[in-house]
Amino acid sequence: MDGSSWAEPIPAVKSKADLAYESLRSAIAQGNLRPGERINMEELARSFGVSKIPIREAVKRLESDGLLVSRVHAGVTVAGIDVREMRGVFLAREVIEALIAGLAVQRVDDRQLAELHGIQQQMRDLLEQGDTAEMAELNSRFHRVLAEAAGYRILRDLTEQLLLTIRRYRITAPLGERNWRSVVDEHDTIMAALHRRDPQAAAAAARAHIGSQAAHEVEGGG
């Protein structure tokens, strides 16, 4: 059916449900809503200045994402963190980040390299100041840029999902300054492989980076 005679472009306007979803997702990612915390939909609707309908829609999407849990008599709560599942998250990240780094070597452009260097410098500056509050967001940005450079939307989406899970976990088990220094050093190894245009070295560096973090965070190795 040809709709060219009647179809008009749909304006890219976010709905109230979309905005509520993004706001709640951000609050969960940043730890403003912590694992196990109950969600009061009536209170949220008042705070957002909307009816309960967009809040319900947002909650359903977050349940599908695995970020909220709805139980009879318990209501809606922020999903908890399962350490056993975190091992699986790190295993998945090892494979995906290695693939991303190997692909990024072949496709990364000057803008992306400059952004990665800028992120690394910001992380170093914060460490010198003894301030780790923004390290998690900068780390997420580093891995997002790598995933963007790899060139596949599915890898960007998977990266975003896994990063969110890791950030939620680190809210309950935050990284110390020494471990953040290791993260920056491991990023440097990935960056060196990118500059050499060596996909095997980049993949190996990314796999080693995630493996090192897994050893520290879920295997008790650090």
Side-chain angles (χ1 to χ4, degrees):
M1 183 178 184
D2 183 5
S4 60
S5 61
W6 52 267
E8 296 181 358
I10 298 174
V13 177
K14 291 182 179 180
S15 68
K16 291 179 181 178
D18 289 334
L19 294 171
Y21 169 82
E22 291 174 3
S23 180
L24 286 168
R25 191 177 187 276
S26 176
I28 292 169
Q30 295 178 25
N32 296 319
L33 290 172
R34 300 179 68 85
E37 188 170 342
R38 187 169 179 178
I39 302 297
N40 186 321
M41 288 194 280
E42 289 186 2
E43 185 177 308
L44 279 175
R46 285 195 298 271
S47 298
F48 288 151
V50 299
S51 72
K52 286 192 288 186
I53 294 173
I55 301 298
R56 288 196 194 100
E57 291 179 20
V59 165
K60 285 180 181 178
R61 287 178 63 186
L62 290 161
E63 285 184 71
S64 297
D65 292 345
L67 297 176
L68 294 180
V69 178
S70 179
R71 294 189 179 94
V72 177
H73 306 307
V76 179
T77 58
V78 179
I81 302 292
D82 185 333
V83 175
R84 181 178 179 279
E85 284 301 313
M86 288 306 302
R87 294 189 179 96
V89 170
F90 276 101
L91 286 171
R93 282 199 76 201
E94 279 193 46
V95 175
I96 291 169
E97 292 287 351
L99 175 60
I100 284 171
L103 290 168
V105 162
Q106 306 165 51
R107 304 179 181 195
V108 67
D109 59 32
D110 290 343
R111 177 191 64 79
Q112 291 163 334
L113 282 172
E115 187 172 357
L116 290 167
H117 279 295
I119 293 167
Q120 284 288 87
Q121 189 58 55
Q122 289 179 66
M123 294 180 84
R124 289 191 195 92
D125 290 345
L126 287 174
L127 285 171
E128 290 308 308
Q129 298 164 21
D131 181 4
T132 60
E134 300 299 320
M135 294 293 280
E137 177 56 32
L138 289 167
N139 179 66
S140 293
R141 281 178 53 197
F142 182 91
H143 288 283
R144 286 189 191 111
V145 175
L146 275 182
E148 175 192 332
Y152 292 99
R153 182 177 59 81
I154 183 62
L155 294 177
R156 295 198 301 272
D157 290 348
L158 288 170
T159 295
E160 196 62 43
Q161 181 181 350
L162 292 169
L163 284 172
L164 175 57
T165 305
I166 294 290
R167 287 191 66 175
R168 292 187 65 230
Y169 178 67
R170 286 175 177 167
I171 289 166
T172 62
L175 296 187
E177 183 177 324
R178 185 176 70 172
N179 194 248
W180 278 122
R181 289 188 183 277
S182 295
V183 167
V184 174
D185 290 343
E186 290 156 12
H187 285 180
D188 281 340
T189 306
I190 297 171
M191 292 292 297
L194 289 178
H195 280 291
R196 295 198 308 273
R197 301 292 176 176
D198 186 335
Q200 286 77 27
R207 185 182 291 274
H209 169 46
I210 303 304
S212 170
Q213 296 310 304
H216 175 84
E217 296 186 63
V218 298
E219 302 296 343

